[in-house]
Amino acid sequence: MHANGENMAGKAKQDDEMRDHYDFSGGVRGKYAARYTEGTNVVVLAPDVAEVFPDSIAVNEALRTLVRMSAKTVRVKVAPKNA
């Protein structure tokens, strides 16, 4: 129970109501959806990985480091053994 005596379910239902001063009657559904998807690449991290990276800046820096390290790795081709 909250300090004012309301339980969580009652509060959630009360907060779910649209306030009178909001007017979306002239709105266009999905107006910016295409623009958003063009510049966004959403990736869902596993919970254990998300614990290590607090935000997208940390994730991007880790990936940039991985790319730099990968570019510096010398890959040597091994000739197949003749039997």
Side-chain angles (χ1 to χ4, degrees):
M1 288 230 180
H2 285 267
N4 64 4
E6 281 187 4
N7 64 23
M8 289 296 287
K11 177 141 179 63
K13 188 172 182 178
Q14 180 183 11
D15 289 345
D16 196 33
E17 298 296 320
M18 181 63 72
R19 295 190 173 112
D20 291 335
H21 63 272
Y22 293 122
D23 179 13
F24 295 105
S25 61
V28 178
R29 185 177 198 89
K31 182 176 182 178
Y32 299 104
R35 185 185 317 170
Y36 179 77
T37 58
E38 288 174 8
T40 303
N41 197 1
V42 177
V43 177
V44 178
L45 301 176
D48 60 322
V49 176
E51 286 180 16
V52 179
F53 299 101
D55 54 28
S56 61
I57 295 169
V59 172
N60 286 323
E61 188 54 37
L63 291 173
R64 287 184 186 106
T65 300
L66 180 63
V67 169
R68 284 191 300 268
M69 290 174 62
S70 176
K72 291 179 181 178
T73 302
V74 177
R75 294 186 175 100
V76 178
K77 288 188 177 184
V78 178
K81 293 180 182 179
N82 292 334

